[in-house]
Amino acid sequence: LAGRGTDGRGYAALFLPLEWEVLRIPTPHVRAFLSASGHSDSGVGLTTGAEGAVVWSHGTVLSTETIDGGHDLSAASLDAVGRGFAAGPGRIWMHHTIVPPSGVQPPVGRWECIYSDPSWTAPIVSLFTDLGVTIAMTADGGIIEGRIQPRGEESRDKGNLPRFVLPTLIEE
């Protein structure tokens, strides 16, 4: 669960429906947490919020991170392999896990901005990610769709492709 608590600070919690329980997670002091995503099978959860705040849940192991730049993160998503994505106005980040979680220690990783366009000023409010594909929708109905290219992949004309490729329209 994500939001703002009655104390005016960001609120993140785990909901345990079979136990009829909501457990508040200790989080950084931010205005609000704006989005949450999770995979119940793997026990991985991701919550994003104001000022670049990120909270991970890997089973019983909790960890917090901050994405550089202090951007408000209005959308979160996990792809099929549990890789985290976060988005805000005009930007999408992807998490790279460097050291996987051990069951006792949280994963160690870094966030990479894979899409940035300052002309998109409306917050991204919905984020769908799958292996290699990302689709985002903004609060004003705009759609951003693209493919994530492996690093170093070359195009047909031998130039390096950007990390996030927007699809091109083919006119007949």
Side-chain angles (χ1 to χ4, degrees), residues 37-45 78:
S37 182
H39 286 166
S40 59
D41 294 342
S42 64
V44 176
L78 294 167

Side-chain angles (χ1 to χ4, degrees), residues 12-107:
L14 295 174
F15 174 51
L16 306 171
L18 297 178
E19 297 176 24
W20 291 60
E21 196 167 358
V22 175
L23 301 173
R24 187 168 187 167
I25 298 172
T27 61
H29 297 284
V30 295
R31 292 185 319 273
F33 283 92
L34 305 169
S35 183
S37 182
H39 286 166
S40 59
D41 294 342
S42 64
V44 176
L46 172 66
T47 301
T48 60
E51 303 165 30
V54 177
V55 177
W56 284 94
S57 168
H58 287 84
T60 59
V61 179
L62 301 174
S63 63
T64 61
E65 297 177 327
T66 302
I67 294 179
D68 291 338
H71 303 281
D72 290 342
L73 305 173
S74 51
S77 181
L78 294 167
D79 69 7
V81 295
R83 182 173 40 203
F85 290 80
R91 288 185 172 86
I92 300 172
W93 290 267
M94 179 175 66
H95 188 264
H96 298 278
T97 299
I98 298 168
V99 178
S102 66
V104 177
Q105 179 178 340

Side-chain angles (χ1 to χ4, degrees), residues 143 145 147 165-172:
I143 300 292
E145 179 180 355
R147 295 175 292 132
V165 180
L166 295 174
T168 55
L169 296 175
I170 300 172
E171 295 183 22
E172 295 183 28

Side-chain angles (χ1 to χ4, degrees), residues 93-169:
W93 290 267
M94 179 175 66
H95 188 264
H96 298 278
T97 299
I98 298 168
V99 178
S102 66
V104 177
Q105 179 178 340
V108 177
R110 65 179 176 79
W111 288 92
E112 174 190 8
C113 185
I114 59 170
Y115 174 80
S116 178
D117 184 347
S119 68
W120 287 76
T121 58
I124 292 172
V125 295
S126 180
L127 188 60
F128 169 79
T129 55
D130 202 358
L131 298 176
V133 176
T134 300
I135 302 170
M137 185 176 78
T138 63
D140 62 0
I143 300 292
I144 302 166
E145 179 180 355
R147 295 175 292 132
I148 301 166
Q149 299 293 333
R151 285 203 179 278
E153 185 171 310
E154 292 187 354
S155 65
R156 290 181 216 151
D157 63 355
K158 301 300 180 202
N160 281 337
L161 288 170
R163 186 81 167 113
F164 189 78
V165 180
L166 295 174
T168 55
L169 296 175

